[in-house]
Amino acid sequence: MKAGAKGHKLDRRGSLIGSLVFALDDEKTGLANRIKELENELKDPTLVNPASVHNNLANALMNSGQIEEAIKHYQKALELNEEDAAAYMNLGVAYKHLSLFDKALDYFKKSLEIRPTADEHYNMANTFLKLEPPDFGSAVEHYKEALRMDPNHADCHQNLGLVLKGEGKIDAAIMELRSALKLSEGSDVNAHYNLGNALVSKADALEGEAK
């Protein structure tokens, strides 16, 4: 079996979060079977909730790297149910991976209107950082709102810490990065690395002040 990375993880509501990467060979086989199964479901004239099946099929296509095909099914899900927050959020993820960040933000905003959760704010914040130039102010605002809604969102603490470090707010960054590390129970290598860098930056700053 060839080594590869895991696909998207799903939040509790079925929305895609995290980074899009290619699946392991065994997972690819499972995804191909799942895609075929869902495609067959859509052919059933007695299907009760086709919007949900389109959304699930799109999720499987995303995890297999077929982003543009996935977009078609997310859009079909929205044609059938225009209040499907998961489909809006997942479309945002899809367009983000196509580097169409303004379009991604449009879908994240719609998702946020329907279903204001920490994950929606987190995705918005991450996407504001992808703009050219990055919108740090909006990113920080959405990270903070996400943490207000879910104080245990470790990835949000970590990303907010990195933004604050970039803005020179080292003490605030260290606080967020410590929170991320604590929530990971010390198992997140990136959290260790990022906190270490922030502590070095603080030490350098103090040394510079002492000279």
Side-chain angles (χ1 to χ4, degrees), residues 151-164:
N152 295 323
H153 200 307
D155 289 339
C156 197
H157 279 291
Q158 185 155 198
N159 287 3
L160 176 56
L162 291 173
V163 173
L164 292 171

Side-chain angles (χ1 to χ4, degrees), residues 28-42:
K28 287 180 181 179
T29 300
L31 281 171
N33 291 337
R34 179 62 174 155
I35 288 168
K36 186 171 292 186
E37 175 187 318
L38 290 165
E39 287 173 339
N40 287 334
E41 276 191 55
L42 287 174

